[in-house]
Amino acid sequence: MAINVVILAAGQGKRMYSRRPKVLHELAGRPLIAHVIETARALGAGRICVVYGHGGEQVPQTMKSPDIVFARQEPQLGTGHALQQALPHLSAAATTLVLYGDVPLVRPETLGAMLDRTKGVVVLTAELDEPTGYGRIVRDKTDRVTKIVEEKDASKAERKIREVNTGIMALPTRKIAGWLGKLKNHNSQGEYYLTDIVALALADGVAVKTTKTREAWEMMGVNSKTQLAQLERLYQAQAANRLLEQGVSLADPLRLDVRGQLTCGTDVRIDINCVLEGKVTLGADVEIGANCVLRNVEIGAGTRIEPFTHIDEAVIGAGCRVGPYARIRPGTRLGEDVHIGNFVEVKNSEVAAHSKANHLAYVGDSTVGRNVNIGAGTITCNYDGANKHRTVIEDDVHIGSDVQLVAPVTIGKGATIGAGATITKDAPPGKLTFTKAEQVTKPGWQRPQKKVRSEK
């Protein structure tokens, strides 16, 4: 079925108390509207039109994509007026699905069920125990929909109705222009309501059907930071449940944040307070300790990430041990069985199999071979104040504690670097290289004493 998707995203969101357009506030690390766009793409939308307004060009600048067109609504005169701005971008032969940029959790399966019924108008509804704030679905004695009434305009009897309008509709595109042209703003808000299309469709003899959401949270929108926080926890609860169903062990499903795409092998274990952003792939038997942050990371089978470790844009091999309190920065690739210990930082470096940097080291812009031991306090001095330079450490090198390797420099295969050395020239393979400073003891020296101030 050919479909247009119109995403209404022009609202100001006054209760957000922010200069940022409401739809650009983030849920699970992405703008609210990004979730809606992803859903539209999952439905196979031929055209996606975003209607924006508040915040100027921030929405199109942030969400720019070849498959999205933008229509500006200025001024904002209601949802019916908003849809009118999208009309020039819609294919008349397709069904038009109206979504909302601040309603991010509706599932493609739910919308697919709506579209299966689109011979006429289909409205997505929900049954709520507490319907306050929502437009009500009014039916006649034969259970046919007769109208949708906004709560502010509803009678006392109509406010008791529990079936509510989510705002999401599927409409025959060829009919939309005529119906929108007949909308009136004779209501408490002085706006042109899209919901009034229902009565116009019925007057034209067009069938109006409904589909109910399976879960009430699918139709929840965001109008305040409180509601945004509530949706965040709902989203994360769903993500945690999916992981548990896939066999991932979570120390506490309530203390996990997935902000992207997470793929896990068998017998993966994740401790509390971990944040997983972007595309994260965890191989079989991977263990993630508490309070770790992983962003766009691939981790090989059997690797253990110790607590309080940050890994960003990196590939970690199988059987590694990283952390605690380690930082792995973009461009890093660790081979099999590499150990990166506490307070070690690695940036834009390749570290080959079985090498270790267990304590208090910085490895930046480096190529490290196999079976290398990097001692505590060692740093690669890769930046001269203007440019970065590379350090090469070949296989089987042993580097003592508190060594400075001043790049560009190469440490030859099997070399040993003595503790405390500052290496500014290439070190030959298989040799001991060190820089010697004379140790001096000064006889008769006394430590300075603190002067005592006399009182006046």
Side-chain angles (χ1 to χ4, degrees), residues 229-355:
Q230 291 170 344
L231 255 65
E232 182 72 37
R233 295 333 310 160
L234 281 168
Y235 180 98
Q236 297 303 339
Q238 296 299 316
N241 286 338
R242 287 193 295 271
L243 291 172
L244 291 168
E245 290 170 0
Q246 294 165 14
V248 178
S249 295
L250 303 177
D252 184 349
L254 298 178
R255 289 187 283 175
L256 173 72
D257 284 87
V258 179
R259 301 173 184 169
Q261 178 185 342
L262 173 61
T263 304
C264 295
T266 57
D267 296 309
V268 168
R269 289 184 284 177
I270 303 175
D271 211 329
I272 63 170
N273 298 332
C274 290
V275 179
L276 310 173
E277 299 182 352
K279 187 176 181 180
V280 175
T281 302
L282 307 180
D285 301 301
V286 166
E287 297 182 29
I288 308 297
N291 302 293
C292 290
V293 178
L294 309 182
R295 182 183 298 111
N296 295 318
V297 172
E298 180 181 336
I299 298 179
T303 286
R304 166 74 187 177
I305 308 298
E306 301 289 352
F308 295 97
T309 293
H310 286 208
I311 306 178
D312 189 2
E313 302 278 357
V315 177
I316 311 298
C320 293
R321 295 294 179 270
V322 181
Y325 294 99
R327 186 182 181 197
I328 310 299
R329 291 172 58 191
T332 294
R333 299 182 69 91
L334 304 185
E336 178 185 0
D337 186 38
V338 169
H339 290 197
I340 301 296
N342 48 286
F343 302 104
V344 175
E345 180 178 353
V346 185
K347 185 216 75 166
N348 191 32
S349 297
E350 297 88 41
V351 182
H354 314 300
S355 292

Side-chain angles (χ1 to χ4, degrees), residues 395-406:
D395 295 347
D396 302 310
V397 167
H398 180 92
I399 297 175
S401 298
D402 196 28
V403 169
Q404 295 82 50
L405 303 175
V406 183

